[in-house]
């Protein structure tokens, strides 16, 4: 288990699941007239806006509960690429206590969406926690002292089973 070493106060809510880099692209109309209602047509470049953020179902739950004042520990796994480092830095800066497993075999955790006229047209994601097995000792440490455990279904069946067993 690697990551930030924050003491976990008692009691806290453990949130387990993915954190991803959100890449949100919005295609702008090519002229002052309204954009066509059909699908985006192939072209070398579509003018638009691109925003980056940190998200993911479990990550969003952890951040929102933290914003409401709940003591949160967020358990996730990332690789060690610049994308993952950006995510870990953001979560650390947000004040979340992290239990972070780092594994080089994990893909970059990215969700990329393309929007046109307020409608999602395409989305691609590369989260792979369904194939990642958290270390039992790390799960035991994370669950110890938690008053509640929220686990995302994107975790592997074995990790979900182990969390449920430990949370009893």
């Amino acid at each position: 288990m690697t990551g930030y070493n924050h003491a976990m106060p008692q009691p806290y809510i453990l949130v387990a699941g993915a954190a991803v880099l959100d890449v949100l692209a919005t295609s702008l109309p090519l002229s002052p007239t309204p954009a066509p209602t059909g699908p985006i047509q192939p072209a070398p470049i579509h003018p638009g806006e691109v925003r980056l953020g940190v998200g993911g179902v479990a990550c969003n739950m952890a951040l929102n509960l933290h914003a409401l004042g709940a003591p949160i520990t967020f358990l996730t796994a990332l690789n060690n690429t610049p994308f993952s480092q950006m995510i870990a830095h953001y979560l650390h800066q947000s004040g979340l206590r992290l239990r972070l497993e780092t594994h080089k075999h994990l893909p970059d955790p990215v969700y990329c969406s393309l929007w046109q006229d307020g409608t999602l047209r395409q989305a691609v994601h590369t989260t792979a926690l369904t194939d990642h097995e958290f270390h039992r000792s790390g799960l035991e440490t994370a669950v110890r002292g938690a008053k509640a455990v929220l686990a995302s279904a994107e975790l592997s069946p074995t990790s979900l089973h182990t969390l449920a067993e430990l949370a009893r």
Side-chain angles (χ1 to χ4, degrees):
M1 179 79 57
T2 60
Y4 298 104
N5 294 319
H6 294 287
M8 289 188 278
Q10 308 289 331
Y12 56 90
I13 299 169
L14 175 66
V15 180
V20 300
L21 181 66
D22 284 331
V23 181
L24 308 171
T26 303
S27 177
L28 297 177
L30 297 177
S31 67
T33 60
T37 57
I40 295 173
Q41 298 299 313
I45 297 175
H46 282 282
E49 299 173 348
V50 176
R51 291 177 287 141
L52 296 177
V54 173
V57 173
C59 180
N60 289 339
M61 286 191 301
L63 289 168
N64 285 311
L65 287 168
H66 176 70
L68 292 170
I72 301 296
T73 295
F74 182 53
L75 171 69
T76 194
L78 299 168
N79 62 27
N80 204 20
T81 67
F83 286 146
S84 290
Q85 291 169 7
M86 287 171 54
I87 293 166
H89 178 75
Y90 177 85
L91 295 174
H92 177 66
Q93 292 298 319
S94 74
L96 285 180
R97 286 177 302 279
L98 297 178
R99 295 290 304 171
L100 176 63
E101 285 191 9
T102 305
H103 294 280
K104 64 182 178 182
H105 74 275
L106 290 171
D108 283 322
V110 177
Y111 173 83
C112 182
S113 60
L114 177 59
W115 296 79
Q116 182 185 36
D117 300 325
T119 301
L120 177 63
R121 297 296 184 174
Q122 296 284 331
V124 177
H125 71 92
T126 58
T127 56
L129 289 186
T130 54
D131 298 325
H132 174 72
E133 301 301 336
F134 282 89
H135 298 287
R136 183 178 180 88
S137 61
L139 294 175
E140 289 171 347
T141 301
V143 169
R144 191 177 307 120
K147 64 180 175 181
V149 176
L150 298 174
S152 172
E154 65 206 351
L155 297 178
S156 72
T158 301
S159 293
L160 282 170
H161 177 77
T162 303
L163 271 174
E165 174 189 315
L166 294 169
R168 290 187 187 155

